[in-house]
């Protein structure tokens, strides 16, 4: 039986900024346009967190039963691959999280619009088929596309819509840099795993591009996020606050540019998460302060 600490590690806490930041930024947009509804923001956050933990457990299960994850693999705790938990328990944990996200999401659907039900169903399907099913798209180099769409565009824009009832252009402008930062987390994670993924026929985008181009892609995601976020200065000069997060990008960029591998990139993954949180907090504050004029 896996211990509580192993279950927590298997949930991959370092990836949780992917679910927290988009909802925070979407709420910042809602505050900026004068339409924030705090209980809906809180519910959207719970849905996002449940989906994130669910996809992490689903990946653990699917990779484990396929034999992609082994005890020798560098990275976070693998419940299935290490044998710490029976596959059926990890699968049940994944679908339990998806079910929780679905139930909470129904409240937002009931108080917003029926078509959000389709968005929620698509999000759960994307979470499962990332590494699940017969032809997982995560094994075909499409993981970053899904992350950009669901943990960038959908999460930010959806958070704005359930609170405001419409989607101002500021929501789309804020969603793009957040999507790029979410992608950067996956890129550095897959950069670390290029060797083992290639051996197990897990053809991620990093495997397709190769190590050199993947390192360039990571840098482009980080730089692109800052550049695009600064366009929000046209809405409010407070958006320039994101520049204060730039120093946090130095260490992970040095790791990636310097050719570091393995456990050094695990540190880089944590640093990318901290950057993502700081960037999101500052962008949220900047967009919210825009309401002050």
């Amino acid at each position: 039986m896996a211990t509580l600490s192993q279950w927590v590690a298997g949930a991959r806490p370092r990836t949780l900024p992917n679910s927290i930041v988009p909802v925070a930024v979407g709420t910042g947009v809602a505050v900026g346009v004068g339409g924030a509804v705090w209980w809906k923001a809180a519910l959207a956050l719970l849905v996002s967190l449940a989906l994130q933990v669910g996809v992490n457990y689903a990946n653990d299960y699917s990779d484990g039963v396929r034999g992609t994850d082994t005890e020798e693999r560098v990275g976070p705790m693998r419940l299935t691959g290490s044998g710490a938990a029976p596959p059926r328990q990890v699968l049940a944990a994944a679908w339990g999280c998806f079910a929780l996200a679905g139930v909470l999401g129904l409240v937002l659907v009931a108080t917003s619009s029926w078509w959000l039900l389709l968005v929620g169903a698509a999000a759960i399907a994307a979470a499962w088929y990332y590494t699940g099913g017969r032809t997982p798209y995560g094994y075909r180099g499409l993981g970053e596309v899904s992350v950009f769409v669901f943990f960038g565009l959908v999460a930010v824009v959806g958070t704005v819509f359930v609170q405001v009832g419409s989607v101002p252009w500021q929501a789309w402008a804020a969603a793009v840099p957040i999507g790029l930062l979410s992608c950067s987390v996956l890129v550095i994670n897959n950069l670390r795993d290029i060797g083992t993924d290639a051996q197990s026929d897990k053809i991620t985008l990093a495997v397709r591009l190769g190590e050199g181009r993947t390192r360039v892609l990571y840098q482009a995601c980080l730089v692109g996020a800052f550049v695009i976020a600064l366009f929000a200065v046209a809405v409010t000069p407070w958006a320039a606050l994101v520049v204060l997060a730039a120093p946090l990008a130095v260490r992970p960029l040095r790791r990636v540019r310097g050719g570091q591998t393995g456990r050094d990139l695990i540190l880089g993954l944590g640093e990318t998460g901290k950057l993502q949180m700081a960037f999101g907090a500052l962008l949220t504050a900047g967009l919210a302060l825009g309401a002050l004029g």
Side-chain angles (χ1 to χ4, degrees):
M1 293 290 291
T3 64
L4 177 59
S5 63
Q6 287 175 320
W7 279 105
V8 171
R12 304 184 186 184
R14 289 181 177 178
T15 66
L16 294 185
N18 276 348
S19 55
I20 297 171
V21 171
V23 176
V25 170
T27 301
V29 173
V31 172
V33 298
V37 181
W38 295 106
W39 72 265
K40 288 188 176 183
L43 205 56
L45 178 59
L46 292 176
V47 170
S48 187
L49 284 168
L51 284 173
Q52 177 70 68
V53 175
V55 74
N56 288 342
Y57 283 143
N59 292 347
D60 187 302
Y61 167 80
S62 297
D63 284 343
V65 297
R66 278 192 171 87
T68 305
D69 283 345
T70 63
E71 291 183 354
E72 293 76 22
R73 189 178 177 88
V74 175
M77 175 69 185
R78 271 80 168 185
L79 294 163
T80 308
S82 69
R88 66 181 182 278
Q89 289 186 2
V90 182
L91 179 62
W95 281 102
C97 290
F98 293 152
L100 176 61
V103 170
L104 296 176
L106 285 175
V107 179
L108 293 175
V109 169
T111 57
S112 300
S113 175
W114 68 267
W115 59 262
L116 286 177
L117 187 64
L118 302 179
V119 175
I124 292 174
W128 173 251
Y129 287 107
Y130 174 57
T131 56
R134 293 185 178 180
T135 55
Y137 65 86
Y139 281 45
R140 298 295 178 264
L142 297 175
E144 283 77 4
V145 174
S146 179
V147 165
F148 180 80
V149 170
F150 287 100
F151 286 101
L153 303 183
V154 171
V156 175
V157 172
T159 298
V160 176
F161 179 79
V162 297
Q163 296 182 67
V164 178
S166 62
V167 183
W169 69 268
Q170 295 95 318
W172 296 104
V176 173
I178 296 307
L180 287 174
L181 284 179
S182 292
C183 283
S184 72
V185 173
L186 183 58
V187 170
I188 193 171
N189 181 77
N190 289 344
L191 171 62
R192 180 198 67 212
D193 293 339
I194 280 182
T196 51
D197 283 344
Q199 291 173 7
S200 57
D201 198 33
K202 185 176 182 179
I203 311 302
T204 63
L205 182 59
V207 173
R208 288 186 181 277
L209 293 177
E211 184 176 324
R213 290 180 180 178
T214 301
R215 293 181 185 276
V216 172
L217 176 61
Y218 175 82
Q219 296 170 63
C221 287
L222 261 57
V223 173
F226 278 96
V227 171
I228 295 173
L230 287 176
F231 280 110
V233 172
V235 180
T236 169
W238 290 106
L241 285 172
V242 295
V243 174
L244 297 177
L248 293 176
V250 174
R251 278 193 173 184
L253 281 172
R254 282 180 176 171
R255 291 185 190 280
V256 172
R257 288 174 58 88
Q260 292 186 9
T261 59
R263 297 191 180 280
D264 289 326
L265 290 180
I266 296 177
L267 297 176
L269 179 60
E271 291 161 355
T272 304
K274 291 177 182 177
L275 167 64
Q276 189 180 22
M277 289 292 284
F279 184 102
L282 290 166
L283 183 57
T284 298
L287 292 169
L289 288 170
L292 301 177

